[in-house]
Amino acid sequence: MTTTYDCRQDFADELIKLAEADERIVAVCNDSVGSSNLVGFRERFPDRLINVGIAEQDLVGVGAGLANGGKIPFVSAAAPFLTGRALEQIKADAAYSNTHVVLCGQSPGMAYGELGPTHHSIEDLSWMRAVANLPVVVPADPEQTRAAVRWAIENPGPSFIRIPRFKVPAVTPDGAPFGPGRSNQLTDGDDVTVIAIGTLVSRALEAAERLRAEGIGLRVINMPFVDPFDVGAVLAAARETGGIITAEEATVSGGLGAAVASLVAAEHPVRMRILGIPNVFAPTGSAGFLLEHFGLTADGIVAAARELLGHGLHR
């Protein structure tokens, strides 16, 4: 049985490790010490964790003020509330002001499952991509989560990191690059490409394995930076394979799929299938049920690949 991991724990462990060596690192949360896995950070650095309570606009504003004072604040909250309630402060205090604020959206996508649409964070990628000067990072596993924390400390400006709650397996090869405009090609294939992020990367790998048994080559690309994304890898996929599938645990309006489609439409048109939530509020149910409901599974990716090949795209 494949081992899976809660990336929130890797986020917290890496943050503590780096804070031991850099006193500028502080954590700011909105009454979310437990859900952000910051209990250990609070115990180790009680004077370096600021809890503003349920006040997300203050959360980002306080983070920006700390950054202006020379600190590196990791502003952590449930993704739907961080991005929904504090969008103006993210735009003005973090991105426009170019402050070194690390925005950490915990439990994104449909991770809150049974709590319903008010707690689902499926619009966050669209909202964050629309803000200038704000890199958007979606780690796929523990290694990329830790790499994202390290990168965000060195990056001099603001950033948004989506920290998954849904447990995922390790998918990142040793020595894989990590940074803006960089992706990881995880499998070879010249029939169809799937570009996946976060919780969908392991499902894309499962789909590739199943299609390989049928003689179909599925190129799997893990795209941890949704903005700025790896333009070269996308255009190579458009030139070298018969179609592109994008897969994200987010609305299809404005996220990864929209970014890829905008590029290939202008530079190298190719058939596409954009897998995600189709501009609706997700129903109430477990996170696993909701992923199945919207076809965000290996089965869904296999079906999309077969559909593209059915349009005469097999090479």
Side-chain angles (χ1 to χ4, degrees), residues 86-167:
L87 184 55
E88 180 187 356
Q89 285 70 32
I90 290 171
K91 172 186 173 182
D93 296 347
Y96 176 67
S97 300
N98 195 36
T99 51
H100 192 176
V101 175
V102 184
L103 303 162
C104 305
Q106 304 283 349
S107 304
M110 298 178 290
Y112 277 116
E114 292 87 350
L115 294 179
T118 58
H119 284 60
H120 296 158
S121 185
I122 60 175
E123 304 89 357
D124 57 343
L125 297 183
S126 304
W127 292 340
M128 296 299 97
R129 277 194 64 238
V131 178
N133 190 39
L134 185 66
V136 177
V137 189
V138 185
D141 68 355
E143 175 52 41
Q144 285 199 330
T145 301
R146 289 176 179 268
V149 173
R150 295 192 297 268
W151 171 82
I153 289 172
E154 298 301 322
N155 176 55
S159 56
F160 173 73
I161 306 174
R162 223 183 191 222
I163 312 294
R165 178 179 185 174
F166 198 94
K167 289 188 175 182

Side-chain angles (χ1 to χ4, degrees), residues 148-253:
V149 173
R150 295 192 297 268
W151 171 82
I153 289 172
E154 298 301 322
N155 176 55
S159 56
F160 173 73
I161 306 174
R162 223 183 191 222
I163 312 294
R165 178 179 185 174
F166 198 94
K167 289 188 175 182
V168 293
V171 297
T172 303
D174 292 340
F178 185 89
R182 304 293 298 273
S183 65
N184 304 147
Q185 183 174 322
L186 302 180
T187 65
D188 294 326
D190 60 6
D191 291 316
V192 178
T193 295
V194 58
I195 302 172
I197 57 174
T199 54
L200 273 295
V201 175
S202 59
R203 290 162 172 77
L205 288 171
E206 182 183 343
E209 185 175 352
R210 287 169 51 183
L211 288 169
R212 188 180 303 115
E214 301 175 17
I216 297 171
L218 186 67
R219 180 181 302 185
V220 174
I221 296 174
N222 174 14
M223 190 72 72
F225 277 78
V226 177
D227 193 351
F229 67 98
D230 190 339
V231 170
V234 172
L235 292 180
R239 291 191 304 267
E240 298 166 4
T241 68
I244 294 176
I245 301 162
T246 60
E248 57 195 307
E249 190 184 346
T251 179
V252 299
S253 301

